[in-house]
Amino acid sequence: MSSSQNKFIKNQKEKRKQQKKKEKEERKKERQENNAKGGDLNDMIAYVDEFGNIVDEKPEEPVKKVDKKN
């Protein structure tokens, strides 16, 4: 009788172990699909405007005045 109980307990442990392994694989797959790491380089670049503020967009370059000396 004890051997049948042992088999039952072993089977239950094996089922729990496989269930945990399956859940772990699903979590791993979900993390890989929703990974935002390593985005585009343009998303990581920040610029400083003429007032010293950090902005995402590249500021317009000021027009340089050219003096003509005659």
Side-chain angles (χ1 to χ4, degrees), residues 33-46:
E33 290 173 356
N34 297 331
N35 189 4
K37 190 175 183 181
D40 190 22
L41 181 63
N42 292 332
D43 295 338
M44 294 185 238
I45 294 178

Side-chain angles (χ1 to χ4, degrees), residues 17-27:
K17 185 178 178 181
Q18 288 182 357
Q19 181 66 26
K20 285 183 181 182
K21 187 175 182 179
K22 181 181 176 185
E23 290 172 359
K24 185 176 179 180
E25 281 292 322
E26 289 174 358
R27 288 192 306 267

Side-chain angles (χ1 to χ4, degrees), residues 9-67:
I9 293 171
K10 285 182 182 181
N11 288 338
Q12 291 297 336
K13 284 184 180 181
E14 185 64 29
K15 284 180 185 179
R16 277 189 255 134
K17 185 178 178 181
Q18 288 182 357
Q19 181 66 26
K20 285 183 181 182
K21 187 175 182 179
K22 181 181 176 185
E23 290 172 359
K24 185 176 179 180
E25 281 292 322
E26 289 174 358
R27 288 192 306 267
K28 180 180 176 183
K29 192 174 190 180
E30 184 178 335
R31 279 194 312 268
Q32 288 176 348
E33 290 173 356
N34 297 331
N35 189 4
K37 190 175 183 181
D40 190 22
L41 181 63
N42 292 332
D43 295 338
M44 294 185 238
I45 294 178
Y47 299 96
V48 179
D49 66 1
E50 59 203 41
F51 304 110
N53 300 323
I54 298 174
V55 294
D56 294 335
E57 301 170 357
K58 188 172 182 178
E60 296 178 10
E61 294 184 20
V63 178
K64 295 182 181 181
K65 296 179 181 178
V66 179
D67 293 334

